[in-house]
Amino acid sequence: MCELPDSTATSGKESDTPARESVSVIYYTDPICSTCWGIEPQLRKLELEYGHHIKVDYRMGGLLPDWSYNSGGISKPSDVASHWDEVSRYYDMPIDGDVWLEDPLDSSYPASIAFKAAQLQGDTNALSFLRVLREMVFLQKKNIANWENLVLAARNVGLDVDQFTTDYQGRAQALFRQDLALARQLGVRGFPTLFFMDQQGKPEKVYGYKPYPVFEHALRKQLPTVTKAAINTSWQHLFTHYPTLTSREFAELAGTDRKQADAYLQQLTDDGQLSKLTTKNGILWIREQTLPGQEAVAAR
């Protein structure tokens, strides 16, 4: 997991009660948390199978305020570089740690506040924005603490950039502070942390990197009557729903043997159906979507 430095927060619980026959999930994450990137396959599968029963409330936890950070053997940017390369192999998700050697971030706060600004233009836009931010930092080695990269991500997902800028400088700052305050109340000590809330507001916590059945169990514990939807596993459907997928994400969602996924996706690329971004630790497969004023999200 991605841990907060010297956390002394105490536990609490969210007071809002979820809607009938559904479960509210409070998800504490951070744009630069490698473990949060590592659980994207599990979360995407949970959305496809149980999205009709869950509402996920994305909250920013403030992993890296600045480089006074010291936790888990990481105290400077170069420590993150080797750590990212190591966890990339463990999670089987492409991560290039060289950004911390070439253009290191000084904080995750700008990207976190930018996400809160994106949320003010709707959850769908905000989640697309967060995905693009993660692809930029984990795969393209872009410093997402820099304003120009935040604007590029906003434009890529079709946000109103003028409104985004205004909200970033104003309302989003307060919303981010509220997220940090709730994190302290809930006892969040690192990321990812997910609270599955039952009808009485009692949480079932899932912390850190966990296999898919753990997330499924937490949901079923809070709502035993939950029903699973069948996933349309055709590549066309999956890439329409998610324009970019890593090899492991595709294998998880399509129910395909992981060793066969790369060859299958490469054939689709050779046939002109997909494009790809190759990194030193893996591949991102892309089916382009065009938005007004959109620039390429990933290089070929």
Side-chain angles (χ1 to χ4, degrees), residues 191-203:
F191 317 105
T193 298
L194 295 92
F195 299 94
F196 291 77
M197 315 296 288
D198 69 10
Q199 300 293 313
Q200 289 73 44
K202 181 180 178 181

Side-chain angles (χ1 to χ4, degrees), residues 114-186:
F115 174 76
K116 303 309 292 185
Q119 277 186 314
L120 292 170
Q121 297 190 40
D123 288 342
T124 299
N125 286 334
L127 293 183
S128 296
F129 177 74
L130 181 59
R131 176 71 183 203
V132 169
L133 286 184
R134 284 177 165 153
E135 291 176 5
M136 291 173 78
V137 69
F138 291 126
L139 307 177
Q140 300 176 47
K141 300 187 293 183
K142 291 185 181 295
N143 184 334
I144 58 171
N146 290 344
W147 177 247
E148 58 268 27
N149 287 329
L150 296 176
V151 171
L152 175 61
R155 186 175 294 116
N156 279 339
V157 300
L159 293 179
D160 180 327
V161 174
D162 290 338
Q163 186 63 51
F164 171 78
T165 302
T166 298
D167 289 335
Y168 179 89
Q169 296 169 347
R171 296 172 64 192
Q173 305 274 339
L175 291 172
F176 178 52
R177 289 194 295 271
Q178 290 173 16
D179 281 2
L180 297 182
L182 180 60
R184 290 190 291 271
Q185 177 187 342
L186 294 173

Side-chain angles (χ1 to χ4, degrees), residues 44-55:
R44 286 184 156 188
K45 186 173 183 179
L46 194 73
E47 179 190 11
L48 291 181
E49 291 192 330
Y50 296 103
H52 54 300
H53 282 295
I54 60 176
K55 170 64 176 176

Side-chain angles (χ1 to χ4, degrees), residues 235-243 287 289:
W235 74 266
Q236 294 94 333
H237 176 79
L238 294 177
F239 276 97
T240 297
H241 198 78
Y242 298 120
R287 188 175 191 184
Q289 289 188 338

Side-chain angles (χ1 to χ4, degrees), residues 9-296:
T10 57
S11 62
K13 68 179 181 179
E14 171 68 13
S15 60
D16 292 341
T17 302
R20 188 169 182 268
E21 292 305 306
S22 67
V23 170
S24 295
V25 181
I26 302 172
Y27 176 25
Y28 263 94
T29 184
D30 188 278
I32 69 168
C33 171
S34 56
T35 311
C36 297
W37 177 244
I39 67 165
E40 281 285 281
Q42 293 94 308
L43 294 187
R44 286 184 156 188
K45 186 173 183 179
L46 194 73
E47 179 190 11
L48 291 181
E49 291 192 330
Y50 296 103
H52 54 300
H53 282 295
I54 60 176
K55 170 64 176 176
V56 182
D57 179 12
Y58 280 73
R59 300 282 186 145
M60 295 290 106
L63 176 60
L64 180 65
D66 53 45
W67 276 107
S68 61
Y69 181 97
N70 192 325
S71 181
I74 294 175
S75 60
K76 58 186 182 298
S78 59
D79 294 336
V80 186
S82 57
H83 171 70
W84 274 17
D85 287 337
E86 179 181 350
V87 299
S88 176
R89 295 186 292 271
Y90 181 77
Y91 301 140
D92 189 20
M93 289 284 281
I95 307 174
D96 190 336
D98 288 351
V99 64
W100 295 100
L101 304 176
E102 300 171 6
D103 190 8
L105 289 73
D106 55 12
S107 173
S108 68
Y109 277 31
S112 299
I113 295 167
F115 174 76
K116 303 309 292 185
Q119 277 186 314
L120 292 170
Q121 297 190 40
D123 288 342
T124 299
N125 286 334
L127 293 183
S128 296
F129 177 74
L130 181 59
R131 176 71 183 203
V132 169
L133 286 184
R134 284 177 165 153
E135 291 176 5
M136 291 173 78
V137 69
F138 291 126
L139 307 177
Q140 300 176 47
K141 300 187 293 183
K142 291 185 181 295
N143 184 334
I144 58 171
N146 290 344
W147 177 247
E148 58 268 27
N149 287 329
L150 296 176
V151 171
L152 175 61
R155 186 175 294 116
N156 279 339
V157 300
L159 293 179
D160 180 327
V161 174
D162 290 338
Q163 186 63 51
F164 171 78
T165 302
T166 298
D167 289 335
Y168 179 89
Q169 296 169 347
R171 296 172 64 192
Q173 305 274 339
L175 291 172
F176 178 52
R177 289 194 295 271
Q178 290 173 16
D179 281 2
L180 297 182
L182 180 60
R184 290 190 291 271
Q185 177 187 342
L186 294 173
V188 175
R189 307 177 73 86
F191 317 105
T193 298
L194 295 92
F195 299 94
F196 291 77
M197 315 296 288
D198 69 10
Q199 300 293 313
Q200 289 73 44
K202 181 180 178 181
E204 176 72 14
K205 184 169 74 171
V206 178
Y207 174 48
Y209 183 85
K210 297 292 187 297
Y212 181 70
V214 174
F215 295 92
E216 190 174 32
H217 173 75
L219 174 59
R220 289 187 172 277
K221 181 176 180 179
Q222 302 299 66
L223 186 63
T225 60
V226 69
T227 57
K228 180 188 295 190
I231 297 177
N232 182 339
T233 59
S234 71
W235 74 266
Q236 294 94 333
H237 176 79
L238 294 177
F239 276 97
T240 297
H241 198 78
Y242 298 120
T244 63
L245 290 164
T246 66
S247 300
R248 180 167 165 257
E249 286 176 323
F250 180 80
E252 182 90 34
L253 300 182
T256 301
D257 181 81
R258 174 62 185 87
K259 295 180 180 179
Q260 298 176 358
D262 280 323
Y264 180 72
L265 293 168
Q266 182 60 54
Q267 185 60 57
L268 291 173
T269 302
D270 293 342
D271 293 341
Q273 303 289 343
L274 302 175
S275 57
K276 68 178 182 178
L277 170 64
T278 302
T279 76
K280 70 176 185 178
N281 289 324
I283 299 172
L284 183 73
W285 307 91
I286 305 157
R287 188 175 191 184
E288 298 292 358
Q289 289 188 338
T290 303
L291 292 168
Q294 184 181 35
E295 300 179 32

